[in-house]
Amino acid sequence: GAGVSQSPSNKVTEKGKDVELRCDPISGHTALYWYRQSLGQGLEFLIYFQGNSAPDKSGLPSDRFSAERTGGSVSTLTIQRTQQEDSAVYLCASSTGGSAKNIQYFGAGTRLSVL
Amino acid sequence: GQSLEQPSEVTAVEGAIVQINCTYQTSGFYGLSWYQQHDGGAPTFLSYNALDGLEETGRFSSFLSRSDSYGYLLLQELQMKDSASYFCAVRDRETNAGKSTFGDGTTLTVKP
């Protein structure tokens, strides 16, 4: 597609349920990022995939969070046993990964609400 | 690790010039980027500085001083549509050069 696509755009779930958030990066982009943004806050880095290298998981806040990227393209962020503090907008971005600027192209995000 | 400081809010009037500052601390600086995010929208890339000096792109300019670990975004001829949040971000050579750390953002309000 023309840009980064995320689904669903909104997700409401009950505390304790698992959720899966999907990201379709720009075709040909080797780098993919997940961020979390709470209301009025900055972007909190979660995880970074670059090609076939092991992902950088240093930003995942707990072992309830995991992500995978299949075939070097689509990525899924999974949050198990959701808590109310997980409520936020989850943003995905992709980049070519090879240029000095490393311009990140962001999707519109998934707004997660945990009741 | 890295840390960035930017003002939380800035207000200006239409047609004016505004400067949004960003100071950073990194163990091995690579480059400073700026992103714009409208309320409810996705962040979009504005500019990038790797070397000292001013980069100009239309009404927006970005400046970097590596010796001062400081940069700013300059917005000229402000328009109402410029009301948004602006984030600076750094890349660090010594951690993972592909990863950027973002500041908490500056909310710019443009008034008529």
Side-chain angles (χ1 to χ4, degrees), chain A residues 48-70:
Chain A
Y48 160 55
F49 296 89
Q50 172 59 59
N52 296 321
S53 302
D56 179 346
K57 304 179 182 180
S58 60
L60 294 178
S62 77
D63 58 8
R64 296 187 296 105
F65 288 72
S66 63
E68 62 177 22
R69 188 178 186 191
T70 54

Side-chain angles (χ1 to χ4, degrees), chain A:
Chain A
V4 177
S5 177
Q6 291 187 246
S7 60
S9 54
N10 284 282
K11 176 71 177 179
V12 181
T13 190
E14 294 179 350
K15 178 182 173 181
K17 301 285 189 183
D18 297 352
V19 294
E20 284 190 353
L21 313 180
R22 176 188 168 104
C23 173
D24 266 290
I26 293 172
S27 177
H29 279 190
T30 59
L32 187 147
Y33 310 78
W34 282 99
Y35 296 90
R36 180 168 68 176
Q37 186 174 34
S38 299
L39 187 63
Q41 300 299 308
L43 281 72
E44 176 189 4
F45 168 79
L46 296 178
I47 188 168
Y48 160 55
F49 296 89
Q50 172 59 59
N52 296 321
S53 302
D56 179 346
K57 304 179 182 180
S58 60
L60 294 178
S62 77
D63 58 8
R64 296 187 296 105
F65 288 72
S66 63
E68 62 177 22
R69 188 178 186 191
T70 54
S73 181
V74 172
S75 177
T76 302
L77 177 70
T78 302
I79 308 173
Q80 296 179 308
R81 306 181 300 282
T82 52
Q83 304 294 310
Q84 289 185 330
E85 60 262 30
D86 299 335
S87 296
V89 175
Y90 289 82
L91 291 163
C92 174
S94 70
S95 74
T96 59
S99 73
K101 288 185 180 181
N102 194 42
I103 297 173
Q104 295 185 34
Y105 297 86
F106 284 81
T110 295
R111 183 174 299 276
L112 175 66
S113 299
V114 182
L115 304 180

Side-chain angles (χ1 to χ4, degrees), chain B residues 42-86:
Chain B
T44 56
F45 173 82
L46 288 178
S47 67
Y48 174 78
N49 295 72
L51 302 176
D52 291 352
L54 194 67
E55 294 281 342
E56 299 182 66
T57 308
R59 294 187 298 114
F60 293 3
S61 303
S62 58
F63 172 83
L64 176 67
S65 169
R66 288 175 297 170
S67 61
D68 295 322
S69 298
Y70 163 76
Y72 65 73
L73 181 69
L74 191 73
L75 297 84
Q76 302 181 72
E77 300 171 18
L78 281 174
Q79 302 176 8
M80 298 296 290
K81 66 179 181 180
D82 297 330
S83 292
S85 291
Y86 294 84

